[in-house]
Amino acid sequence: ETNPLEKQKLKKEIDDLIFKITKGHKEFDFKVYFSEVFHQKKGFDIVIGNPPYIKEYTNRKAFDGLRSSPYYQGKMDIWYLFACKGIDLLKDKGILTFIAQSNWVTNYGASKMRNKVVEECKILQLLDFGPYFIFGSSDIQTMIMIFQKSSEPNEYSFDLRRIIGKKPVYKDVIDLLNKIPNPNNEYLNPTINRNKFLNKPLTFSKTNVEAILNKIENNGKERLYENEITNGIHSHHDKVSKDMLKKLGQSFKVGDGIFVLSDEEKSNLQLTEKELELIKPYYTSKELKKYYAKRKNSEWIIYTDSRFKDPEAIKPYPNIKKHLDKFQAVITSDNKPYGLHRARDERFFKGEKIIALRKCAEPTFTYTDFDCYVSAAFYVIKTNRFNMKYLTGLLNSKLIAFWLKHRGKMQGNIYQIDKEPLLNIPIPPLTPQTQPIANQIITLVDQILSAKKQNPEADTSQLEKEIDQLV
């Protein structure tokens, strides 16, 4: 209703109804009411809402008192707890419907919620708004989900609708809700097999695409292991932001290095040989490209691990201490005053490795064989089980891009290459039949790296096409 007078009239009707329900009490004891309904009916017929979206790393306090919940896990969003609790509050065949972030279907931190949905619910409908931002000013991608509390049957189909257009408009949303044919929308009727989807992301494609994905999966039985992948460094913080100036004062400017230094800032600190042991080469997407990394870095990171939570540990490094002391008002690291928030296992940054850009228009995997420290905008892969150049060629191929688009994690048209998608990428086992192909891929990757070393702008598309064919 847009008419203010009509709004007031409706509001009065609502107030009158609440007055009747509460028998005139100003304070309505929801706790007692919930308890009565829950025990009389053995749960609610419907739980409906828009839960709060809060990541633990943005607001740890919001999770106080919730970490003992059986539904708590690392890297989760608080709304997953609301969904699990909502399912618990339903009676048999009751309905839960939320509008919430759409990435729960693939998020690493949503595995407990996904398993609960798969085991205890029947998905009735998922309406995925894709790149259309329902909440206007907020760039949160959402979906409407409707679950029925039921553990039967083991296999069933459901109604999946999603916006797939690159620049959707409001009409696409209305068409989606009404299931009106629209080239920007996709309407599917996928099948859920509870056993198959337990401990897996919930990704669905058209029938013909599913057939190809299944073939890829059947031929790629190997996977990367958890201990072969890590996220990059969380510094808390790398440089001065606009918000920090309020606390730091006018003698600082946006972009001043805190834990991450420019060449000039590093030089100005006049570090001793002992102090230079803590200064590591830091790389960004300016240097890290598909396949190839420019070896010359322009930034450096003060690499202090959890030992530096103890202020005594910084004493042998007086110039670094003096530098970090200037920023104590804004350093939020778990290992403050002098340690990085998450330094990660240092072996990942040394020697041969593959660096994956987390958010990208196309999957970007970079081979490096020199010390290379990166931020949390990247994941790092390090394994002894596969030749790293073979793995680089495989991961950069169009086939793996196709896999990640359909079975990975997408934010609209942007790939989000997090730990879970990386762990699920099918890798063909190397056998006497496939080893010669792997060797050819390694040779081609060597040729790409050699060409890019001579000229970073060199066109290697023909070599990349050959790798695609071999993959």
Side-chain angles (χ1 to χ4, degrees), residues 119-364:
E119 288 183 302
E120 298 180 28
C121 296
K122 182 181 178 185
I123 301 173
L124 301 182
Q125 194 175 61
L126 298 179
L127 304 176
D128 188 344
F129 300 114
Y132 187 90
F133 299 137
I134 286 290
F135 293 116
S137 59
S138 175
D139 61 348
I140 294 171
Q141 295 187 322
T142 53
M143 68 161 62
I144 293 171
M145 54 202 80
I146 306 178
F147 307 138
Q148 182 176 47
K149 189 166 184 175
S150 173
S151 55
E152 293 178 338
N154 188 52
E155 191 168 290
Y156 63 89
S157 297
F158 73 95
D159 178 10
L160 170 60
R161 309 177 198 180
R162 58 191 174 203
I163 295 177
I164 55 171
K166 292 191 176 179
K167 292 183 178 174
V169 294
Y170 186 60
K171 182 184 179 296
D172 299 330
V173 175
I174 299 303
D175 286 351
L176 191 83
L177 296 175
N178 293 309
K179 209 172 184 179
I180 293 169
N182 179 325
N184 283 335
N185 295 346
E186 184 175 63
Y187 306 120
L188 302 177
N189 197 35
T191 299
I192 285 260
N193 179 301
R194 294 179 200 260
N195 300 336
K196 184 184 170 188
F197 280 99
L198 210 56
N199 300 312
K200 293 275 177 69
L202 293 173
T203 54
F204 308 97
S205 307
K206 290 178 180 174
T207 309
N208 58 342
V209 172
E210 281 291 324
I212 298 167
L213 293 168
N214 289 336
K215 188 174 179 182
I216 294 168
E217 196 163 19
N218 289 336
N219 284 295
K221 296 292 188 189
E222 296 282 357
R223 296 288 185 278
L224 289 167
Y225 299 157
E226 286 249 2
N227 63 1
E228 294 172 332
I229 303 169
T230 191
N231 191 207
I233 297 161
H234 285 259
S235 53
H236 284 223
H237 295 275
D238 56 351
K239 295 175 185 178
V240 172
S241 68
K242 193 176 176 181
D243 290 341
M244 292 176 190
L245 291 179
K246 295 169 194 166
K247 290 184 181 178
L248 291 171
Q250 293 309 306
S251 56
F252 296 88
K253 63 181 189 298
V254 172
D256 284 350
I258 302 177
F259 278 102
V260 174
L261 310 171
S262 66
D263 281 332
E264 187 183 354
E265 286 169 329
K266 176 189 164 203
S267 178
N268 288 344
L269 290 183
Q270 297 182 320
L271 302 169
T272 64
E273 209 163 309
K274 174 77 174 165
E275 288 175 317
L276 285 169
E277 292 171 10
L278 290 183
I279 307 297
K280 307 294 183 181
Y282 195 66
Y283 289 80
T284 69
S285 52
K286 283 187 283 188
E287 296 92 14
L288 301 170
K289 307 296 182 184
K290 192 168 184 177
Y291 281 101
Y292 177 72
K294 297 175 187 173
R295 190 158 190 159
K296 175 77 181 80
N297 58 300
S298 56
E299 294 185 328
W300 306 85
I301 189 163
I302 300 169
Y303 190 78
T304 46
D305 57 24
S306 57
R307 289 174 296 148
F308 288 83
K309 193 171 187 174
D310 178 359
E312 290 293 309
I314 202 75
K315 283 191 172 172
Y317 313 94
N319 293 306
I320 291 175
K321 179 185 186 301
K322 187 179 169 187
H323 166 76
L324 291 175
D325 279 344
K326 294 188 295 186
F327 301 101
Q328 285 310 313
V330 296
I331 291 175
T332 58
S333 165
D334 277 359
N335 297 306
K336 64 184 180 186
Y338 303 112
L340 291 162
H341 183 65
R342 298 279 182 272
R344 308 300 180 192
D345 182 346
E346 196 173 6
R347 72 183 172 87
F348 277 97
F349 305 121
K350 293 173 172 287
E352 202 180 24
K353 66 203 147 304
I354 297 168
I355 298 168
L357 183 60
R358 272 192 71 227
K359 294 191 177 187
C360 46
E362 69 162 345
T364 302

Side-chain angles (χ1 to χ4, degrees), residues 100-119:
Q101 290 167 307
S102 53
N103 57 10
W104 71 276
V105 295
T106 52
N107 250 11
Y108 189 69
S111 60
K112 286 188 177 182
M113 176 191 159
R114 274 200 303 275
N115 279 349
K116 189 168 181 71
V117 170
V118 168
E119 288 183 302

